Amino acid sequence: MAITMTKLMNMSPTMSSSSSSSLTSTPTPAQTVLPVRTIPGSYGWPLLGPISDRLDYFWFQGPETFFRKRVEKYKSTVFRTNMPPTFPLFINVNPNVIAVLDCKSFSHLFDMDIVEKRNVLVGDFMPSVKFTGDIRVCAYLDPSEEQHTKVKNFAMDTLKRSSKVWVSEFLANLEVLWDTLEEKISSNGSASYFVPLQKCLFNFLIKSIIGADPAKSQKISESGYLMIDKWLALQLLPTTNVSTLQPLPEIFLHSFTYPFLLVKGNYEALYEFVEKEGQEMVQRGQTEFGLTKEETIHNLLFILGFNAYGGFSIFLPTLISTIGSDTELQKKLREEVKEKLGSTAPSYDSIKNLELVWSVVYETLRLNPPVPLQYARARKDFQLSSHDSIFEVKKGELLCGYQKLVMRDPKVFNDPENFVSDRFMNDTGLLKYLYWSNGPETGSPGESNKQCAGKDYVVLTAVLFVAYVFQRYSSFTYSSSAITAVEKA
């Protein structure tokens, strides 16, 4: 845990790491030589195959069962299949992918010598650049592109500077969040936490990352989080699983894209707010990193809205439900926080010894990563290795990894399907197989790779969240996306 804290506090815009994983190293004479095997599976008949796979993925099976059944069918964690969105209206999207579903094969997605990440954030489908001011923001750039170096270094520098206020702003907004929830519990008997949590996250992140106070604009203060929700939804609907009310999602959500025009006014309001209230950050992007004003603002909005706000809006509710549904785990967390933190305010230093808290956060990320899918395109012909076979991959083929299965690899993790709260206390060597951040947890983001610039901040923030909750409460009762009771510490 101390390693992560040290990296966070010494993070520099020039940090970089090798993009290759130890899992993809050349076999030594002592290792077993694996057999070369043709990649199993198929893409089916044109039109019919992709549509059939899309319906299985979204409707008849769901994402996890979709991949599990094919692993069983082909007796392989590497196989060919189709991933949505697909025909008939996505005519410029090629749904053909090679699925990689074990830790060893999945690790190839981070080797920038053999794969590229140009325009493959959500597969072969790419939302219109109108959503990002007619520019390709950092998430769609490959490390080989000069612009990626500029924007990635700017992103890391922005996060490093935000560390001065990150903890204090987060704790201040957490206090508002839990005060609000307590009031609702007192008056209504329960409190749905999702909207108050999103408001908390939006205010905290815009202050920390942009250096702007949302209170300067009534519109942004009241509706900024909703503006980002809508902006995110229109970009991701074609690839997002919505299992209820079928076949309506297949007809209205997964068959075509929605135009940027529907959120144009909201996005322009956010842009103008950052332009006016985040002048210092915008100026730094231009003078220190060679970006235009437009490139700086659109990338800041993507970092704020897509990467940070969007990611936390998925991950923290998962963390709440995981802890809230386990009273014994709550007791253990409370005991550790009481023993090691006491009444000391959570800080970078004071939380580093909360080993169980860190382990719980890591285990939640292992079982439920905020971004379930990762993609990469073969930069050249190469041999891809799974645990038991070698496969020939051709230049231009798209690789797809479903992280919920990858990080349940039984050859790496004991009891992989179950939540084990102390898993990463007992074996921190497993962190190199924790891939939620577009790279191993032991890696470092840099201009030469696509690892999340804020990966250490995500873990830190989640640890702070848990520490704050169990300093304030002995326990809380969770039921179906709502907090129904809290017991003060």
Side-chain angles (χ1 to χ4, degrees):
M1 311 312 174
I3 295 174
T4 299
M5 294 302 304
T6 301
K7 286 197 298 180
L8 181 63
M9 299 181 70
N10 294 290
M11 194 174 290
S12 164
T14 58
M15 287 173 64
S16 63
S17 66
S18 172
S19 57
S20 300
S21 166
S22 61
L23 287 173
T24 60
S25 59
T26 304
T28 64
Q31 293 176 309
T32 302
V33 177
L34 300 175
V36 178
R37 180 183 176 189
T38 301
I39 300 175
S42 74
Y43 303 127
W45 291 96
L47 294 178
L48 296 179
I51 290 176
S52 175
D53 284 343
R54 169 187 142 181
L55 293 177
D56 278 347
Y57 183 84
F58 282 137
W59 187 356
F60 302 133
Q61 296 175 343
E64 187 166 327
T65 301
F66 175 88
F67 287 111
R68 286 187 185 276
K69 283 187 172 294
R70 284 155 180 76
V71 169
E72 295 171 3
K73 177 180 179 180
Y74 301 123
K75 301 294 188 290
S76 174
T77 53
V78 178
F79 54 85
R80 297 185 185 277
T81 189
N82 296 292
M83 283 296 292
T86 62
F87 308 109
L89 297 181
F90 291 91
I91 57 176
N92 294 321
V93 175
N94 182 353
N96 301 163
V97 301
I98 299 172
V100 287
L101 301 176
D102 64 84
C103 284
K104 189 172 184 181
S105 62
F106 185 75
S107 67
H108 293 76
L109 271 63
F110 314 124
D111 187 341
M112 294 297 105
D113 291 331
I114 59 174
V115 300
E116 66 171 346
K117 297 277 192 168
R118 189 189 310 265
N119 299 339
V120 295
L121 178 65
V122 288
D124 197 60
F125 166 73
M126 179 180 173
S128 170
V129 291
K130 292 186 180 298
F131 285 96
T132 51
D134 288 313
I135 67 169
R136 292 167 59 238
V137 291
C138 189
Y140 295 105
L141 300 174
D142 184 72
S144 64
E145 299 177 73
E146 181 181 355
Q147 187 72 357
H148 179 271
T149 299
K150 294 180 181 179
V151 180
K152 187 70 175 283
N153 284 335
F154 172 61
M156 292 189 295
D157 178 76
T158 298
L159 289 167
K160 180 182 178 182
R161 291 175 183 274
S162 75
S163 65
K164 299 174 184 178
V165 299
W166 191 274
V167 174
S168 59
E169 286 294 345
F170 186 56
L171 294 178
N173 280 281
L174 276 184
E175 185 171 2
V176 174
L177 167 66
W178 287 98
D179 284 348
T180 301
L181 295 179
E182 281 188 30
E183 289 177 9
K184 291 186 176 181
I185 292 170
S186 178
S187 59
N188 302 326
S190 69
S192 177
Y193 62 80
F194 189 69
V195 171
L197 175 63
Q198 286 202 312
K199 290 180 179 179
C200 162
L201 290 171
F202 178 78
N203 289 333
F204 149 61
L205 291 168
I206 205 164
K207 285 184 178 180
S208 300
I209 295 175
I210 309 298
D213 185 355
K216 294 290 184 66
S217 165
Q218 183 178 357
K219 184 176 182 180
I220 297 299
S221 179
E222 293 178 354
S223 306
Y225 75 100
L226 283 174
M227 294 177 182
I228 292 183
D229 283 340
K230 295 172 184 177
W231 174 73
L232 286 171
L234 290 196
Q235 294 179 74
L236 298 176
L237 278 176
T239 62
T240 302
N241 180 46
V242 181
S243 58
T244 59
L245 301 177
Q246 289 285 13
L248 296 180
E250 290 314 301
I251 298 171
F252 296 108
L253 303 183
H254 297 149
S255 293
F256 49 85
T257 59
Y258 283 83
F260 170 66
L261 184 64
L262 295 175
V263 292
K264 184 174 185 290
N266 287 340
Y267 188 76
E268 288 177 348
L270 289 165
Y271 182 97
E272 291 168 3
F273 177 80
V274 173
E275 182 181 30
K276 180 181 178 181
E277 302 297 338
Q279 291 183 22
E280 181 182 346
M281 196 64 66
V282 174
Q283 186 67 26
R284 184 178 295 114
Q286 297 173 74
T287 58
E288 296 185 21
F289 296 93
L291 302 171
T292 67
K293 182 179 75 172
E294 292 74 20
E295 290 169 344
T296 303
I297 296 176
H298 290 303
N299 274 286
L300 280 173
L301 283 173
F302 198 88
I303 293 167
L304 168 72
F306 200 107
N307 298 132
Y309 174 83
F312 278 127
S313 291
I314 295 171
F315 176 50
L316 288 184
T318 303
L319 184 62
I320 291 171
S321 65
T322 298
I323 296 172
S325 59
D326 190 335
T327 54
E328 186 61 30
L329 176 59
Q330 289 191 45
K331 180 181 178 182
K332 292 178 181 178
L333 290 169
R334 168 62 182 155
E335 288 174 353
E336 180 178 71
V337 170
K338 183 179 180 180
E339 176 188 348
K340 296 185 177 180
L341 196 58
S343 59
T344 304
S347 66
Y348 290 119
D349 287 329
S350 66
I351 64 173
K352 64 184 179 182
N353 293 322
L354 299 177
E355 294 181 346
L356 179 60
V357 176
W358 285 85
S359 182
V360 165
V361 169
Y362 287 138
E363 183 72 343
T364 304
L365 286 167
R366 182 184 76 85
L367 289 176
N368 294 286
V371 180
L373 295 163
Q374 293 286 356
Y375 292 90
R377 193 177 300 280
R379 195 182 294 275
K380 59 184 179 181
D381 293 357
F382 72 93
Q383 289 189 327
L384 180 146
S385 300
S386 68
H387 290 303
D388 52 24
S389 300
I390 293 175
F391 305 90
E392 300 286 347
V393 175
K394 300 297 182 184
K395 179 180 178 179
E397 292 192 298
L398 188 64
L399 307 178
C400 168
Y402 184 66
Q403 298 195 93
K404 282 191 174 183
L405 288 192
V406 172
M407 292 190 288
R408 298 182 190 191
D409 187 339
K411 293 186 182 295
V412 172
F413 298 99
N414 292 323
D415 195 14
E417 299 294 332
N418 292 314
F419 184 93
V420 180
S421 62
D422 61 353
R423 184 186 302 275
F424 292 94
M425 290 175 63
N426 299 328
D427 189 354
T428 54
L430 291 174
L431 288 174
K432 65 183 177 182
Y433 303 112
L434 193 64
Y435 295 127
W436 68 273
S437 63
N438 205 0
E441 184 62 24
T442 51
S444 298
E447 63 186 46
S448 63
N449 62 40
K450 293 298 292 182
Q451 188 151 30
C452 173
K455 84 172 186 66
D456 293 326
Y457 290 82
V458 172
V459 180
L460 165 77
T461 304
V463 171
L464 284 170
F465 183 90
V466 177
Y468 176 90
V469 168
F470 288 102
Q471 267 197 325
R472 179 163 178 157
Y473 304 111
S474 294
S475 65
F476 65 93
T477 305
Y478 168 87
S479 177
S480 186
S481 300
I483 306 295
T484 58
V486 292
E487 182 179 343
K488 285 287 187 76

